[in-house]
Amino acid sequence: MNVLIFKKMSKYLLLILASLSFAAEAQEGPKAKRWYLPDHMKLQFAGGTGFLSGGPGYNSRNKKLETDFLFGYLPEEFGGDALITITGKTTYSPWRVALKNDYYLAPVSIGMYLSYTFGPQFDSKWPAYYPKGYYWWATAFRPGIYAGGKIARELTMHSRRRGLELYYEIGTYDLMLISYVQNTGFLTPGDILNLAIGLKFAF
Amino acid sequence: MKPVLRFLPFVSLLFFSSCDSLFLYNPNQVTLHNGESNLNARNIAALVSQPPPDTLRFILMGDSQRWYDESEDFVKSANKHRDISFVLHAGDISDFGLSQEFKWVNRILSKLHVPYMTVIGNHDIVANGPDAYRKMFGPMDYSFEYGSHKFIFINTNSREYAFDGTVPDVNWLRKELADNPENKDMIVIAHIPPYDNDFDRNLEKEYGELLGNNPNVHMSLYGHQHSFNDGEYYKDGVRYVVTTSMGARGYLKIKVWKGGQEVERINF
């Protein structure tokens, strides 16, 4: 990867990090957190939801279940086509292992997502000039599954407990899964799996 | 280890990401690696660098859509024919119009001992398929000459364009058929046969007559129907030959010479 691409990438990163910190500022104040305010923000690289995707998320009370809404963007220089994707995802991390110095590990996470990609070339319902059932899948919606893990650190900033997590997810989506299941001779799991890496900032 | 160092692997992964399929940004992305672009033109260049035989033999296969294991077996079977000059893919390379599928099929067909050329199928036009096809294989309508024959490839997937009258591009076809100064025999290759329901009814007559009225057109080749078919459909001297799908484990071996042709069905 050359320097130019790295610079462009840092630009996108900075933009999203800036919006993250703005959201965090909005959380400040003595009053108790309102129910509709997000528990955390995530910023994710790859994973089928954009080159970078990010957005607010919510925790279950025991913090094992996270639900996130991601807004993703894929610039043409990385994807051959500029694509905007919105995604809803749910991640379940049943175990948490405490490490030294406020670090902890969630060794296993599993989850699923449903994404929607915008564009006139993508359909959620096939146009009327196709006979019923001509194609069976919608090109705009893509469901997927993944498994991964995360390492995190709890921080105390401005006398509030916060958390910073680094996570990875290895996943695939419906069209790849069905291709694999029917072609286990030619395709290997590596052909259909992809890696996502992300940061979570908990308020 | 300093906390900041813990993020080093993360940063280095980002660094190596641009040319690795380890990362997927969107299923509809069209990111090609070296050697994955302009495949039709490259393969034609490889073909025409070989001196053409008087009697030309080639294979017509098609509809590889989501039949990768079967397509691998096809390559094994096709490679046993030492007398063929090239392989034609009659379209529906992919099932979902994803560049990832085009790459898989190219990975399989590049194991052929001979070059292969493709024509676009209706499944290849789904989602970002047209963009992926153009970047990876080239124009949807194109032609090449080899020996005493001219091969004309045309997009006939009318339904994907809501039967708007633009597909197939009969004006382009008329020009291609007229551009034949050496009076070569011409073979038109497309995915959907003109008598199929997915072909524009309003263009069927014009298309059929362009072929039927041309003294140098004796045969036209198709896929799409997932079964073999062969006949002089419009009783006009043009033989319409349809190959089956990879799922049905069959293909055609075709022998052509000036003024004649022979078609053999092969199952693998």
Side-chain angles (χ1 to χ4, degrees):
Chain A
M1 185 185 285
N2 62 38
V3 179
L4 184 74
I5 292 178
F6 187 72
K7 271 187 183 164
K8 283 189 174 161
M9 214 159 71
S10 343
K11 193 181 70 188
Y12 290 113
L13 270 169
L14 280 174
L15 201 73
I16 296 182
L17 283 175
S19 61
L20 281 181
S21 59
F22 177 76
E25 290 297 322
Q27 297 285 304
E28 303 284 356
K31 281 185 184 167
K33 185 180 149 306
R34 302 217 184 254
W35 66 270
Y36 51 83
L37 290 176
D39 297 316
H40 59 256
M41 297 287 281
K42 277 186 184 175
L43 175 65
Q44 181 173 311
F45 169 70
T49 57
F51 180 78
L52 286 174
S53 55
Y58 299 86
N59 274 336
S60 64
R61 198 174 284 267
N62 64 9
K63 296 196 171 177
K64 289 180 177 176
L65 199 66
E66 301 154 70
T67 301
D68 301 286
F69 301 96
L70 305 179
F71 176 85
Y73 182 59
L74 172 58
E76 190 175 352
E77 65 230 79
F78 300 125
D81 188 16
L83 296 170
I84 292 172
T85 304
I86 51 171
T87 304
K89 64 187 270 188
T90 291
T91 312
Y92 179 60
S93 310
W95 303 293
R96 184 188 275 220
V97 182
L99 305 172
K100 281 190 292 185
N101 301 332
D102 292 328
Y103 281 92
Y104 63 89
L105 188 75
V108 177
S109 299
I110 54 168
M112 57 191 177
Y113 67 87
L114 181 68
S115 70
Y116 178 90
T117 298
F118 293 89
Q121 71 272 48
F122 307 119
D123 295 293
S124 49
K125 189 172 176 285
W126 290 95
Y129 52 81
Y130 288 103
K132 204 165 182 279
Y134 194 81
Y135 299 122
W136 56 264
W137 69 102
T139 50
F141 287 104
R142 238 12 341 111
I145 52 170
Y146 54 86
K150 55 191 179 182
I151 184 160
R153 188 182 179 188
E154 289 196 319
L155 311 159
T156 305
M157 280 165 66
H158 305 296
S159 72
R160 281 178 65 117
R161 298 282 281 174
R162 298 178 193 283
L164 188 64
E165 295 184 351
L166 174 65
Y167 66 87
Y168 78 95
E169 292 163 0
I170 294 170
T172 187
Y173 59 95
D174 57 342
L175 305 181
M176 292 292 104
L177 265 179
I178 188 167
S179 298
Y180 173 71
V181 166
Q182 295 178 329
N183 296 278
T184 50
F186 172 66
L187 293 176
T188 62
D191 286 320
I192 65 157
L193 294 174
N194 68 83
L195 177 64
I197 299 167
L199 280 172
K200 171 180 149 183
F201 184 70
F203 313 131
Chain B
M1 189 161 68
K2 284 183 180 174
V4 66
L5 288 182
R6 290 177 189 272
F7 291 96
L8 257 183
F10 174 60
V11 173
S12 55
L13 268 172
L14 280 177
F15 216 77
F16 290 115
S17 66
S18 73
C19 50
D20 203 324
S21 57
L22 178 64
F23 295 109
L24 174 79
Y25 306 134
N26 189 294
N28 299 291
Q29 70 189 34
V30 185
T31 50
L32 305 180
H33 296 178
N34 283 342
E36 286 179 334
S37 62
N38 258 324
L39 291 171
N40 285 335
R42 279 179 206 231
N43 286 336
I44 290 167
L47 172 68
V48 298
S49 70
Q50 304 293 318
D54 290 335
T55 299
L56 186 62
R57 293 173 177 85
F58 60 92
I59 280 172
L60 176 72
M61 52 78 72
D63 298 87
S64 51
Q65 44 184 123
R66 219 188 329 136
W67 282 305
Y68 304 106
D69 285 358
E70 292 82 356
S71 297
E72 275 199 310
D73 292 342
F74 157 75
V75 169
K76 279 181 206 145
S77 174
N79 279 344
K80 287 181 190 149
H81 303 280
R82 292 291 168 174
D83 52 355
I84 58 164
S85 295
F86 55 87
V87 168
L88 299 182
H89 191 310
D92 279 1
I93 303 159
S94 68
D95 201 25
F96 308 118
L98 303 174
S99 60
Q100 179 63 75
E101 299 180 285
F102 288 155
K103 290 177 184 186
W104 286 340
V105 171
N106 180 48
R107 202 161 96 195
I108 294 167
L109 294 186
S110 55
K111 299 264 169 33
L112 286 164
H113 294 327
V114 293
Y116 78 96
M117 278 67 85
T118 64
V119 71
I120 193 162
N122 55 301
H123 280 257
D124 306 321
I125 293 174
V126 167
N128 259 357
D131 186 34
Y133 184 89
R134 273 192 208 98
K135 285 175 180 161
M136 204 159 160
F137 294 102
M140 295 183 187
D141 300 335
Y142 69 101
S143 68
F144 73 88
E145 294 178 4
Y146 189 56
S148 57
H149 283 78
K150 177 172 181 175
F151 296 85
I152 300 172
F153 300 78
I154 184 165
N155 173 13
T156 58
N157 307 292
S158 316
R159 188 181 294 278
E160 310 307 309
Y161 300 84
F163 301 112
D164 65 0
T166 61
V167 173
D169 186 346
V170 283
N171 292 323
W172 178 86
L173 181 61
R174 186 179 299 109
K175 278 183 207 138
E176 277 298 316
L177 290 167
D179 180 19
N180 189 21
E182 294 172 58
N183 271 319
K184 290 176 188 276
D185 280 356
M186 294 186 283
I187 298 175
V188 176
I189 301 108
H191 180 61
I192 294 174
Y195 49 80
D196 191 281
N197 280 334
D198 294 326
F199 193 101
D200 196 331
R201 284 280 74 81
N202 298 324
L203 295 174
E204 179 187 356
K205 188 164 179 285
E206 193 176 355
Y207 180 96
E209 284 174 1
L210 275 175
L211 271 56
N213 294 341
N214 192 305
N216 296 313
V217 177
H218 311 294
M219 184 167 65
S220 191
L221 308 175
Y222 299 89
H224 188 57
Q225 302 192 319
H226 295 200
S227 58
F228 289 125
N229 200 357
D230 192 344
E232 203 182 302
Y233 197 84
Y234 300 109
K235 311 285 178 231
D236 57 1
V238 179
R239 185 172 172 185
Y240 285 82
V241 181
V242 181
T243 191
T244 191
S245 67
M246 287 295 97
R249 306 184 71 93
Y251 61 92
L252 298 174
K253 185 177 180 183
I254 297 174
K255 185 165 109 178
V256 292
W257 58 95
K258 185 76 191 157
Q261 80 279 143
E262 236 174 67
V263 178
E264 182 191 352
R265 292 179 186 181
I266 296 172
N267 287 292
F268 62 91

